[in-house]
Amino acid sequence: MGDTGKEDDKIHSFDVEIQQILKTALKDPSSVDLEKVANVIVDQSLKDCVFSKEAGRICYTIIQAENRQVGQSVFRRSLLNRLQQEYKDRDELRAHSLQAWICYVTFICNIFDYLRVNNMPMMALVNPVYDCLFRLAQPDSLQKEEELGLWGMSFTSCTLTRTPPFPSVKVDCLVLQLHRIGEQLEKMNSQRMDELFSLLRDGFLLQEGLGSLSQLLLLEIIEFRAADWKMTEAAQKYYYSEVTD
């Protein structure tokens, strides 16, 4: 995960000056303003959902480089402070821009996936991540939506063919995050995962106006967790064929 060559490929969407700052941070973090670097990464993640899915790896690489070079954690502290601020403002962010909200959820889950303390996920991120996922699982998030302008974000790995009917982009994001970090998250707090899946089951069974593809995604993640966070061969054949048919 520390291959800076791979990380260089992820930052081509920035202007030349910012690209140079990030490349330097990846290789020589003590020579740049790491608080600025953290803010640049968060700002871009809130605008670009493709980048937000990759940003955790970049942040991990900078943290490791700083720790090796100077034994400090300026970048991690700055990153977590900014994440905390965005978390406090999450309702305003969600009201202002659905895309920024989805990007934020993707980003914080990505950071949870990569950042470790004593080889364990960061406890400080557990409840904020759960809170974001719970918000995506609320009835108003599960309603059928026509969000065609957002499909460039292309969240789930299984819903590769985007033909009508479209799932809710929030359901799409929720399912992807649970595929990615659900097992880790449950180990940190199983009670909240039980509560989250109770919401998802109610949504699948009771939610009016839930699109057929959203229903399929919810059923798939419910069965995925029931199978101990594994995709059985039979389930993979069923869900992949249903999505692409």
Side-chain angles (χ1 to χ4, degrees):
M1 285 191 287
D3 185 346
T4 58
K6 291 182 179 178
E7 315 321 328
D8 286 350
D9 294 339
K10 310 298 182 187
I11 59 179
H12 64 274
S13 57
F14 295 94
D15 64 43
V16 174
E17 180 183 359
I18 297 300
Q19 283 189 45
Q20 188 57 49
I21 291 173
L22 290 178
K23 288 178 180 179
T24 303
L26 287 163
K27 297 170 184 175
D28 184 17
S30 65
S31 66
V32 295
D33 181 344
L34 291 174
E35 182 176 358
K36 179 179 180 179
V37 171
N39 284 325
V40 163
I41 290 173
V42 175
D43 287 343
Q44 184 68 14
S45 294
L46 295 181
K47 295 185 293 186
D48 182 347
C49 282
V50 174
F51 180 79
S52 70
K53 292 189 291 184
E54 305 290 347
R57 183 189 294 269
I58 294 173
C59 292
Y60 171 87
T61 303
I62 295 173
I63 289 168
Q64 292 296 102
E66 184 188 13
N67 186 57
R68 286 194 303 269
Q69 189 178 56
V70 293
Q72 296 182 353
S73 55
V74 173
F75 176 77
R76 185 174 71 178
R77 184 170 60 251
S78 299
L79 176 66
L80 293 176
N81 286 343
R82 178 65 191 278
L83 274 175
Q84 182 181 44
Q85 185 58 53
E86 296 297 337
Y87 171 75
K88 289 179 180 177
D89 297 337
R90 65 192 183 281
D91 290 336
E92 290 82 357
L93 180 68
R94 183 172 55 84
H96 175 70
S97 168
L98 173 61
Q99 178 167 335
W101 162 239
I102 294 296
C103 286
Y104 175 72
V105 176
T106 303
F107 180 60
I108 194 172
C109 290
N110 199 250
I111 294 299
F112 174 82
D113 190 27
Y114 274 96
L115 265 60
R116 292 286 186 272
V117 175
N118 297 325
N119 207 34
M120 291 288 291
M122 295 191 68
M123 182 58 73
L125 292 176
V126 172
N127 281 328
V129 168
Y130 264 122
D131 289 344
C132 291
L133 298 181
F134 266 82
R135 188 65 192 83
L136 289 175
Q138 295 302 313
D140 64 332
S141 291
L142 299 180
Q143 292 172 355
K144 187 176 181 180
E145 297 160 344
E146 297 298 333
E147 295 169 338
L148 308 189
L150 293 174
W151 285 121
M153 293 189 282
S154 187
F155 286 106
T156 58
S157 58
C158 60
T159 51
L160 297 178
T161 303
R162 294 305 192 187
T163 55
F166 296 98
S168 161
V169 70
K170 287 169 277 190
V171 172
D172 209 15
C173 177
L174 172 62
V175 169
L176 177 59
Q177 306 318 318
L178 287 170
H179 269 286
R180 182 168 191 163
I181 64 169
E183 185 174 10
Q184 298 177 64
L185 206 52
E186 182 167 34
K187 289 176 181 177
M188 304 298 286
N189 189 329
S190 60
Q191 181 180 343
R192 291 207 73 183
M193 188 63 75
D194 288 341
E195 294 168 356
L196 177 60
F197 270 77
S198 178
L199 261 182
L200 295 181
R201 282 189 292 271
D202 287 348
F204 174 73
L205 294 171
L206 305 174
Q207 180 67 46
E208 295 183 3
L210 186 65
S212 59
L213 192 47
S214 291
Q215 286 183 312
L216 190 69
L217 292 176
L218 290 180
L219 180 60
E220 185 271 330
I221 197 63
I222 289 168
E223 293 191 356
F224 185 68
R225 185 199 180 205
D228 198 24
W229 301 101
K230 295 179 177 66
M231 178 72 77
T232 66
E233 184 177 350
Q236 183 166 353
K237 287 181 180 178
Y238 173 75
Y239 289 110
Y240 274 68
S241 65
E242 285 293 314
V243 166
T244 56
D245 281 352

